[in-house]
Amino acid sequence: MSSQIDHLLNESRQFPPSPEFVAQTIDDPALYERAAADREGFWGEQARELLHWHKPFTEVLDWTNPPFAKWFGDGELNVAYNCLDRHVEAGIGDRVAIHWEGEPGDSRSITYAELTDEVKRTANVLAGLGVGHGDRVAIYLPMIPEAVISMLAVARLGAIHSVVFGGFSADSLRSRIDDAGAKVVITADGGYRKGKVSALKPAVDQSLADRNGEGEQQTVEHVLVVKRGGNDVDWTEGRDIWWHDVVPAASADHEAQAFPSENPLYILYTSGTTGKPKGILHTSGGYLTQAAYTHKYVFDLHPETDVYWCTADIGWVTGHSYVAYGPLANGATQLMYEGTPETPHPGRWWELIQKYGVTILYTAPTAIRSFMKIGRQVPNEFDLSSLRVLGSVGEPINPEAWMWYREVIGGGKAPIVDTWWQTETGGIMVSPLPGITAAKPGSAQVPLPGISIDVVDEQGKEVESGNGGLLAITKPWPAMLRGVWGDPERFKETYWEKFEEQGFYFAGDGARLDEDGDLWLLGRVDDVMHVSGHRLSTAEIESSLVAHEATAEAAVVGASDETTGQAVVAFVILKESFLAEHTPEGLATQLRGWVGEQIGPIARPRDVYIVGELPKTRSGKIMRRLLRDVAEGREVGDTTTLADTAVMSIISAQVK
Ligand code: PRX
């Protein structure tokens, strides 16, 4: 079968950066030239410029045993030293590293000097609990500074962290603790979410209980517990330790030891939409180089003046690379927020931007669309004029959501960077540079300097410009995953087998290159629909639906159909202002016609269902597999990875 994906949607708007922005940017077209002239030399330069090496490397890349790469292999560094001590030594210890805001409104500002001390104390405590080089530590915390402190303390010791998102259940936590063989778990009594304390410690207790089954070893020796929620907790003497009993009392003297560049830094499990979670393994020198490099140039970082805010939870890769490692390696000042966007009022994010004078905002399309649904009157009440760069990550951003983001949040002037990457890539791979690129709504645009990407067909051959195909990464990159924890075969099969001959990494995404050479992400290849012999991407039809004034969010799937093979079925969430004045039936008819006119009859949905919610994973991605079940009248499949498992029964009932 052809792997080409038909291209239907045309978008011709372009927004170059303003002259004022260009005048102050650190982005320089020479980056592209240098990287094109000597890719490895370029990465070597970045690694030397952006990081401190205890022992300098002499070799940039060893690719003699693909797909297992070694970057800066004979160099040595300490990741935590790079994020902390060296800034203090350089005299910026009194710069705020983290402005933290709790959901109930309590707050703390922590300088680099204070953060360094806290991490040193915590490293001493962990070392006292027997954590050393190569040991695994599970971190199951809310969005509080101790989450970042714990990650850095583990990294400082040359140990490996596995952060588990606080919204995951005891079962998910258990399988991750067991797979990694964690020695210590760091958690909290609870954290604030939606105005209440949501307990965490009981899930840890449960995940460690009842280990009598075959092969069920108890690797965890200690549980370190931060007091945050103030809720009652059960206590296991000898195992459980309060953070506040040991960390403040520990010594703040701790010398960072150097570890090899390829020393493992963390494991992060991708839940995916099906199957057993994969423990994606990242290592130190290459990862930190790319995290720092991308954070600096993609956001045009001015560390002396910017206040940066990435809204991702520490439990996702975005929280690893763009809350913990990238910003701290660059000595940036950032905001960290514990709670949900709508608590205690729907303008909470905008209030925080106004309060802290946030200049760079990095968030996800799903959040932007949920704000569109409520309406612009909410952000309009706040002063957002400090914002100068806006970022998007996690899903294709529909052109109309992009325009809303630009106009309503960015005041019509802040450049938007749509950043494409994955847990596996470790850092941003495709993105505009805000001071250089003329931005196109909905396009992630170009591989960053130093990154090689192609859109290819099933045989690995480049597709002609204008056509859709498969996104492949054609050369190794510094922050690439080094494997799947404990399963090298799965690593090869999942990512490298498809283009084994060419040695390309297969990302699993569909993409299209336009006439200017800009990339458009088309959604996961598994979600492509086959309609009357055409291969249609989810992203383009969803973008067309979102371009209608009544629509806030849309998901489309292919449902089997006697005449066309598959038919397009759409699930649409309406903006609140449209709900009152229109009937769902009337709007469904309008939307079918709209898509037909906008992108052609082939894409016209057979059915449009107006729904109140869409099924999403805990990181906000739409689970189209479940919608396909509904559209084909099947019993809905496994919903355990959904953020809200009730959503599917509501949608099923609405559709009936
Ligand atoms: O399908 C792509 C989509 O998210 C996938 C990676 O998800 P995850 O590992 O959870 O990492 C999310 C944060 C990096 C990709 O394979 N994706 C991510 N960013 C974009 C995107 N799709 C389109 N445009 C993006 N900017």
Side-chain angles (χ1 to χ4, degrees), residues 167-188:
F168 277 131
S169 65
D171 276 350
S172 312
L173 178 61
R174 182 191 186 107
S175 63
R176 286 160 173 78
I177 288 174
D178 287 351
D179 189 68
K183 199 166 186 178
V184 169
V185 180
I186 307 178
T187 188

Side-chain angles (χ1 to χ4, degrees), residues 317-318 392-396 418-424 507 509 521 524 621:
V317 73
T318 310
S392 171
V393 60
E395 281 182 294
D418 175 7
T419 63
W420 179 88
W421 59 295
Q422 306 177 301
T423 303
E424 292 85 345
D509 282 349
L521 273 302
R524 300 294 292 170
K621 286 195 207 309

Side-chain angles (χ1 to χ4, degrees), residues 268 270-272 280 316-319 322 362 365 392-397 417-428 430 442-444 471 505 507-510 520-525 539 617 619 621:
L268 183 57
T270 55
S271 49
I280 303 300
W316 314 122
V317 73
T318 310
Y322 300 105
Y362 191 29
S392 171
V393 60
E395 281 182 294
I397 176 164
V417 287
D418 175 7
T419 63
W420 179 88
W421 59 295
Q422 306 177 301
T423 303
E424 292 85 345
T425 71
I428 298 172
V430 182
S443 168
L471 189 79
Y505 167 93
D509 282 349
W520 296 76
L521 273 302
L522 298 175
R524 300 294 292 170
V525 174
T617 63
S619 67
K621 286 195 207 309

Side-chain angles (χ1 to χ4, degrees), residues 353-373:
I353 289 172
Q354 175 177 291
K355 173 173 173 186
Y356 291 98
V358 172
T359 57
I360 305 170
L361 175 66
Y362 191 29
T363 191
T366 177
I368 298 163
R369 291 186 301 251
S370 73
F371 294 125
M372 282 173 74
K373 176 179 162 192

